[in-house]
Amino acid sequence: MPPLTTEQQVSHKLARAILAGFESMFAEFLNITLGAQSRFERAAWQEVQDAMRQRLQVYENKVELVCEAVKVIAYRELDHSDVWHRAKNDYAKRVADHENALIAQTFFNSIYGSLLGQQKIRDVHRFILQETYRPEPRSTDSILYQFTETEGIIDSLRRVLNVFPLRIPFENLERDLKAAHRVLEKINPELLTRQNDTVEFGRSLFFRNKAAYIIGRLIDPVSGEHLPFAITLLNRKNRDGDTCLYLDAFIIGEEQLSKLFGFARSYFMVDTDQPVRYVDYLCRLLPNKERFELFNAIGFIKHAKTEFYRFKVDYTKRMPATTKYVSAPGVKGMVMLVFTTPDSDYVYKVIRDRFRPPKTSNRQEVMAKYDFVKQADRVGRLVDTHEFNYLAFDRQRFSCELFEEMTSEVADSITLSGNALILRHVYVERKVTPLNLYIKDASEQALEQVIDDYGTTIKQLAAANIFPGDMLIKNFGVTRWGRVVFYDYDEICPLTDCHFRAIPKPDNEIDALSEQPWFDIGEDDVFPEQFPVFFAGHHEAKKYFDRLHHDLYGVDFWKITQKVIKSGTLVDVYPYKKEWRLKHFND
Ligand SMILES: Nc1ncnc2c1ncn2[C@@H]1O[C@H](COP(=O)(O)OP(=O)(O)OP(=O)(O)O)[C@@H](O)[C@H]1O
């Protein structure tokens, strides 16, 4: 074999260094994830929150370290495209049989993009678009347990629950199974008569907040039909002060399971070193969810972006030629320019070059707010955001109005290159129906329900130490399940940073009649008495809110919530209707 040239040698070194970096990143991610069971068993909820935040940092920290190493290794050859091309091919061979090859490829892209992205935008996604790098479906046997010929669904549940080696005992498993039986009687009694089903479930528990979930499905061996399910395990202290497990809910069917994996929820910690296979399996259980949503749901948010990019390219290819990007329906933002296509499930949000008054913040501050949301426990009420740098679009796909608006309003964020419009920075979010539009067409009943949920959203966010800042109804949206979520983050902050005050009484008549405030207002002051203004022009909605959530207009609600947060109490959030909790089905 002829001796290697310097360039060849550097390429091999780069491939090895990046792969070692990936393995080390993955190990750190896994170490945090594997601690989830003990945190759950010890009810160490503060640690759960800390671990969540810590895990979100692992990837970027590792990319930074590996980039520094690569700069030294590559030295003069750092920006030689031949070197990188060879490094990529070498890397591709090294990871070809890797259990998590897809995530490893994303890691290579991150390093390359971080070091050279700005100069070589088109090459950043080297591993994404080529067919050869698309995943083949693989066997999921290694991540599943299966019981065949079971004696009905409740017996299956009992067997499933006995498999997991948890350190704490059940408080009263038979009581919980009886309640699960009653749930089935209520929602689908036919299921109780089914014998001989196969029960299949993931070997790894899914942990999130204060809960652990078992995820699986029932398969009818004759028809092959299947029914996905999840079982929620919670823990509490019994009368003797010992921590015990109990079943809190039996979640049945694709729709219910899909809500568990909703885009406004925090990420699961899944006790596995085979996350890609778990996503393959979840795709089977939830065929209406995209792969990127599922990678995201289990915390692989960087790789989720790779998958999103692939989804977006495929989606754009399928879009009829007449479909154009247009401004998102609703009231235009003063801070964000938001666009979508009418059929798309996603919106793209670009920070405006200049903010319209009265907004006084700047780009960095807005980005910091979006970052705050990424780290927060979103309690099912904050739409998740995916931040992209250098996301390319076909320029012809923009409507004339939108293109004009973009070139004047977000010029700092776009690069035009041939047919491409490249967004240097953009957030992608799931599209919901803005609440102000939703209530226009809502029936009386739907209006009451959604306004009740709007108030509940504010209360749940408050309990999770989040104050939305701008609570105008146009800043909230409604999901396809009719659930209210918040999406305008430029004024969001920890609730404990706010200073809730009653409006001082005026000293004299001139003050009382003045349109300007007659008292000093601090930067963090909030006056709940002024909240009715959020309903400007929506009298009917206000009527329901006044009746259902009047407490939000008073200072007491907010101060008491702050006190509870400061005492270290962590809110209970159930990603299913409270009526479905098994305790309602006990004797
Ligand atoms: N996830 C979403 N789904 C659907 N529409 C959205 C979404 N996010 C934003 N929009 C639309 O874009 C508009 C502006 O978005 P957003 O409120 O985030 O911008 P902003 O500039 O921060 O607003 P503001 O001026 O109130 O601060 C919204 O009023 C809504 O119509």
Side-chain angles (χ1 to χ4, degrees):
M1 219 168 59
L4 298 180
T5 64
T6 306
E7 290 213 327
Q8 284 169 331
Q9 209 172 36
V10 171
S11 299
H12 291 318
K13 284 185 187 173
L14 291 190
R16 281 163 52 205
I18 297 173
L19 185 53
F22 165 71
E23 298 291 11
S24 143
M25 180 285 292
F26 193 81
E28 268 178 48
F29 183 97
L30 199 58
N31 284 348
I32 298 173
T33 308
L34 295 178
Q37 182 174 330
S38 112
R39 287 188 287 270
F40 168 73
E41 290 165 337
R42 288 181 288 117
W45 309 135
Q46 198 50 55
E47 281 183 41
V48 167
Q49 303 277 315
D50 295 344
M52 195 70 201
R53 272 188 277 273
Q54 210 189 333
R55 198 178 72 162
L56 279 166
Q57 307 297 331
V58 167
Y59 192 97
E60 275 173 23
N61 289 348
K62 193 57 74 177
V63 166
E64 226 171 87
L65 283 177
V66 175
C67 282
E68 285 314 308
V70 163
K71 276 191 217 160
V72 176
I73 296 166
Y75 187 40
R76 285 199 190 113
E77 286 77 24
L78 185 64
D79 59 356
H80 290 197
S81 57
D82 280 0
V83 168
W84 279 99
H85 196 72
R86 221 178 285 114
K88 187 202 78 172
N89 287 337
D90 184 341
Y91 191 84
K93 280 189 208 135
R94 288 172 193 269
V95 301
D97 295 322
H98 196 289
E99 171 62 33
N100 296 305
L102 291 176
I103 304 172
Q105 290 168 6
T106 290
F107 193 77
F108 182 96
N109 287 343
S110 296
I111 302 296
Y112 181 81
S114 252
L115 290 167
L116 299 144
Q118 251 148 301
Q119 299 151 39
K120 311 228 169 172
I121 290 160
R122 280 156 200 254
D123 288 344
V124 171
H125 298 294
R126 279 168 174 270
F127 272 119
I128 298 174
L129 293 173
Q130 294 168 31
E131 286 298 329
T132 41
Y133 297 123
R134 297 217 170 187
E136 288 292 319
R138 289 183 307 173
S139 156
T140 46
D141 290 352
S142 59
I143 58 161
L144 300 175
Y145 287 116
Q146 260 198 357
F147 296 139
T148 51
E149 299 187 11
T150 55
E151 290 167 28
I153 184 164
I154 297 297
D155 173 58
S156 312
L157 269 191
R158 186 181 290 106
R159 291 174 66 181
V160 168
L161 288 162
N162 282 324
V163 165
F164 289 94
L166 285 154
R167 293 183 183 92
I168 42 180
F170 275 97
E171 190 177 74
N172 187 342
L173 182 56
E174 287 312 310
R175 173 202 64 202
D176 295 348
L177 288 173
K178 270 189 203 141
H181 187 278
R182 287 192 201 103
V183 170
L184 288 175
E185 264 173 354
K186 180 164 176 181
I187 62 162
N188 194 344
E190 187 263 332
L191 280 175
L192 288 168
T193 61
R194 269 172 42 180
Q195 300 281 320
N196 296 330
D197 271 6
T198 297
V199 182
E200 182 184 85
F201 56 99
R203 287 171 185 249
S204 304
L205 287 165
F206 284 50
F207 294 95
R208 185 170 63 195
N209 292 335
K210 295 179 175 176
Y213 299 89
I214 296 168
I215 310 276
R217 61 178 174 165
L218 291 159
I219 308 165
D220 182 334
V222 182
S223 68
E225 273 175 31
H226 75 139
L227 188 70
F229 67 81
I231 306 165
T232 315
L233 300 176
L234 297 183
N235 63 28
R236 66 179 162 216
K237 290 221 186 314
N238 66 10
R239 272 188 228 123
D240 302 328
D242 301 324
T243 305
C244 288
L245 285 176
Y246 64 98
L247 301 189
D248 192 59
F250 184 22
I251 300 160
I252 306 164
E254 191 187 329
E255 187 179 316
Q256 297 303 320
L257 193 66
S258 176
K259 289 180 189 169
L260 192 63
F261 283 83
F263 57 85
R265 307 245 165 237
S266 308
Y267 311 116
F268 283 110
M269 294 231 172
V270 188
D271 211 335
T272 179
D273 48 10
Q274 298 179 294
V276 180
R277 266 179 230 262
Y278 264 95
V279 167
D280 289 344
Y281 183 59
L282 290 170
C283 283
R284 228 175 283 159
L285 303 186
L286 298 168
N288 288 320
K289 289 241 175 238
E290 298 295 339
R291 281 175 69 82
F292 69 87
E293 295 176 297
L294 296 167
F295 270 111
N296 209 52
I298 64 168
F300 286 90
I301 56 176
K302 293 290 168 186
H303 183 65
K305 294 202 319 185
T306 306
E307 297 274 346
F308 174 81
Y309 191 77
R310 189 174 273 160
F311 161 83
K312 176 183 163 294
V313 170
D314 291 346
Y315 184 84
T316 314
K317 277 192 202 152
R318 289 197 308 269
M319 250 160 62
T322 49
T323 303
K324 302 275 185 193
Y325 291 110
V326 291
S327 275
V331 180
K332 283 194 181 179
M334 291 178 266
V335 170
M336 304 301 253
L337 184 149
V338 186
F339 66 91
T340 184
T341 64
D343 298 336
S344 167
D345 285 336
Y346 301 91
V347 296
Y348 298 90
K349 302 176 89 160
V350 191
I351 302 177
R352 290 182 189 273
D353 298 345
R354 291 162 299 278
F355 302 162
R356 298 178 190 163
K359 299 281 176 180
T360 52
S361 57
N362 59 40
R363 172 180 288 270
Q364 276 64 41
E365 284 164 354
V366 171
M367 287 171 70
K369 297 285 186 182
Y370 274 70
D371 212 36
F372 165 76
V373 170
K374 201 80 194 149
Q375 314 274 336
D377 178 2
R378 286 176 283 114
V379 292
R381 298 298 190 171
L382 299 176
V383 178
D384 196 10
T385 57
H386 311 278
E387 189 179 14
F388 284 85
N389 293 311
Y390 302 100
L391 194 61
F393 294 79
D394 178 353
R395 185 176 169 163
Q396 312 299 327
R397 290 287 187 170
F398 287 80
S399 70
C400 296
E401 297 80 20
L402 179 61
F403 187 76
E404 231 168 70
E405 192 184 349
M406 292 186 74
T407 44
S408 76
E409 293 283 319
V410 294
D412 290 353
S413 291
I414 59 180
T415 303
L416 297 171
S417 162
N419 259 341
L421 184 156
I422 297 151
L423 286 176
R424 285 205 282 272
H425 184 263
V426 59
Y427 295 106
V428 179
E429 269 178 21
R430 191 68 192 235
K431 183 155 80 186
V432 289
T433 309
L435 184 55
N436 55 319
L437 301 185
Y438 182 91
I439 62 178
K440 266 192 195 163
D441 304 322
S443 64
E444 278 287 301
Q445 196 194 358
L447 183 65
E448 178 173 5
Q449 216 166 12
V450 84
I451 291 300
D452 189 15
D453 204 37
Y454 164 65
T456 306
T457 302
I458 297 171
K459 286 176 178 167
Q460 286 184 345
L461 287 172
N465 198 15
I466 292 167
F467 184 63
D470 189 346
M471 295 194 288
L472 285 166
I473 53 178
K474 74 179 176 70
N475 295 326
F476 291 78
V478 185
T479 69
R480 65 190 162 128
W481 307 115
R483 190 177 161 78
V484 174
V485 288
F486 184 65
Y487 53 59
D488 180 352
Y489 301 148
D490 63 89
E491 295 185 30
I492 205 164
C493 65
L495 187 83
T496 43
D497 285 1
C498 301
H499 182 217
F500 292 97
R501 286 178 66 192
I503 298 176
K505 296 268 175 285
D507 285 339
N508 54 58
E509 264 181 41
I510 301 177
D511 280 351
L513 296 171
S514 163
E515 283 187 7
Q516 299 302 319
W518 59 89
F519 48 91
D520 291 336
I521 301 179
E523 211 180 304
D524 302 320
D525 284 353
V526 180
F527 299 94
E529 281 158 84
Q530 294 178 330
F531 290 173
V533 81
F534 297 134
F535 292 97
H538 299 283
H539 302 299
E540 279 300 294
K542 181 170 176 304
K543 194 182 76 189
Y544 288 120
F545 194 85
D546 289 355
R547 178 159 61 76
L548 297 162
H549 295 291
H550 193 265
D551 47 343
L552 288 173
Y553 298 146
V555 170
D556 287 356
F557 166 86
W558 299 96
K559 290 205 161 161
I560 292 169
T561 309
Q562 284 180 320
K563 230 186 197 167
V564 173
I565 295 166
K566 284 182 185 155
S567 74
T569 307
L570 237 90
V571 61
D572 287 327
V573 185
Y574 304 97
Y576 34 83
K577 289 208 167 109
K578 283 197 176 157
E579 308 85 274
W580 286 109
R581 297 185 58 201
L582 293 185
K583 68 174 190 176
H584 299 302
F585 294 84
N586 284 337
D587 286 331

